[in-house]
Structure formats: C-alpha cells, structure tokens
Amino acid sequence: MTPSPLPVPPLRGLYLITPDEPDTERLLDRVRAVLGHAALLQYRNKTADAALRHRQMAALLPLCRAAGVPLIANDYADLAIAIGADGVHLGEDDGDPAAVRARLGANAIIGVSCYDDLALARAAAAAGASYIAFGAFFPSSTKPNARRASLDLLRDSAELRLPRVAIGGITPDNARGLVASGADLLAVISGVFDAPDPPAAARAYRAAFESTAPEFPT
C-alpha cells in the first residue's frame, strides 16, 4: 500500500536533493544518514532510466514517511503521481504549474525553478506554486553553466509571500548570507552527499537557520 501524502509542513530549512546514484541500496543508505536534518527531499537522478527512477523513488518514500520529510520528484509529475509522492519540482520545460496543480491536487507541493528571473517567479506564484527557486547563486559543479542569480531576487520576491529556495554552489560558509537575504530553503546535493562527513555537513546547513527568523510565516 502506498503511504498517504504528508500534511504540508512549513517549508524552511535544508532542501536535500539526491545525487545521481545508480545503486538503490547505496542511495538509501546515503539518504538515511542525513534525512533527519532535512525539511524536504527531492529525488533527482539525471542518469537513470524510467524504471530505475520508479524503483528508487518508491524505495525512498517509506524512509521519508518514517522521518516526516516530504518527498518531491524532480521534473516528473507522472512519477510523483505513480509513487504517491508529496509533489514535484518543475523546470522551465517541465510543464505548466497550473496544469500540474490540477493533476496533483490542492495539497501537493509544487516547486518552480525561476533561475534569475523575478517575472518567472510572479508567474509561478499566480499559477499556484508552493515555492519558488532561484539560482545558481554561486558556481555549481552540478550545473556549471547555470544562470547566476543575485541576492536582490530573494529580497524582491518577498512580495510574493511564497517560500524561496536558493540553489547553486551553496556551502555552510555562504549559507547564512542567503538566509539573511530571505532564503527559506537551501537546496544542496554535493555539499552534503559528497562531504567527508555528510551528517555533519547537513547539521551545518541547518544551523544557518537557527539565528535567522523567517521573513513571513509560511
């Protein structure tokens, strides 16, 4: 039986994104070690075929339910629906957020990449997005050619009253500046999963939020 979707929590804290891990058991072990420090987990594997994505995300779902952490599918609304995940993250070519909202329902978490563009964020908000994501804020090994975002985007998008995600080259050292500028979630892959001590790295990211209050309730 597919576990029921979680109630949508306040979206604030570490937003973990899975690495491209072909070994499902190793992926589960890596996620299990750090999941307790996360506010959200996004399943992302750009090297997997459809069957492997389905297996891996289905295996992650019970872990997320046990930890109380919502599980988000990267790009694939059909996969989120098939697995019974909590939502989907959409890039600019992954579908209309309003149409995806209609398919997934009112309680789904739908995130939208807005890159370096406040107009995209306004459109996403109008279409029913649950959060908006900006970046890359710093050079990123995952997306070395990504558009670069400025801290002004985090400040200026406060008017939309949606949680704001910062992504791209985020480290524990630069995280506090993003949070102070308005980031509600810090999206991280290699900064946690490739760290010498992933749980310690996850705790360090989470600590960036401890002395900074949210700009508005989410």
Side-chain angles (χ1 to χ4, degrees):
M1 179 180 296
T2 300
S4 299
L6 291 174
V8 178
L11 299 181
R12 183 170 173 82
L14 175 60
Y15 188 172
L16 280 175
I17 302 176
T18 60
D20 289 348
E21 173 59 69
D23 185 320
T24 299
E25 288 305 315
R26 176 170 159 76
L27 175 66
L28 295 178
D29 287 343
R30 295 176 75 183
V31 169
R32 190 181 288 113
V34 294
L35 188 59
H37 303 293
L40 290 175
L41 179 73
Q42 181 185 133
Y43 172 70
R44 177 185 187 275
N45 190 333
K46 295 296 187 180
T47 66
D49 60 19
L52 180 58
R53 286 196 297 267
H54 191 284
R55 287 197 302 273
Q56 290 190 333
M57 197 167 183
L60 286 168
L61 188 61
L63 290 185
C64 288
R65 290 291 180 269
V69 176
L71 177 61
I72 308 299
N74 177 267
D75 296 349
Y76 300 104
D78 288 343
L79 179 58
I81 293 168
I83 293 300
D86 300 289
V88 65
H89 181 89
L90 303 174
E92 61 186 335
D93 300 318
D94 297 326
D96 172 54
V100 173
R101 168 68 69 199
R103 294 184 64 201
L104 270 65
N107 294 327
I109 299 172
I110 298 177
V112 179
S113 290
C114 302
Y115 309 99
D116 59 349
D117 193 334
L118 186 58
L120 286 178
R122 291 188 175 118
S130 305
Y131 67 77
I132 48 179
F134 296 109
F137 283 92
F138 305 100
S140 167
S141 59
T142 303
K143 291 187 176 182
N145 299 317
R147 285 170 269 181
R148 294 291 295 275
S150 72
L151 293 178
D152 288 340
L153 279 169
L154 294 171
R155 303 183 186 106
D156 294 344
S157 58
E159 66 184 57
L160 301 175
R161 300 189 65 79
L162 286 177
R164 288 152 291 171
V165 179
I167 192 168
I170 300 172
T171 69
D173 291 334
N174 61 36
R176 287 186 184 275
L178 292 166
V179 175
S181 296
D184 300 286
L185 291 151
L186 300 175
V188 178
I189 305 175
S190 59
V192 168
F193 287 106
D194 292 344
D197 185 340
R203 288 193 296 270
Y205 284 105
R206 192 175 66 176
F209 294 90
E210 292 175 356
S211 61
T212 308
E215 188 165 332
F216 58 86
T218 56

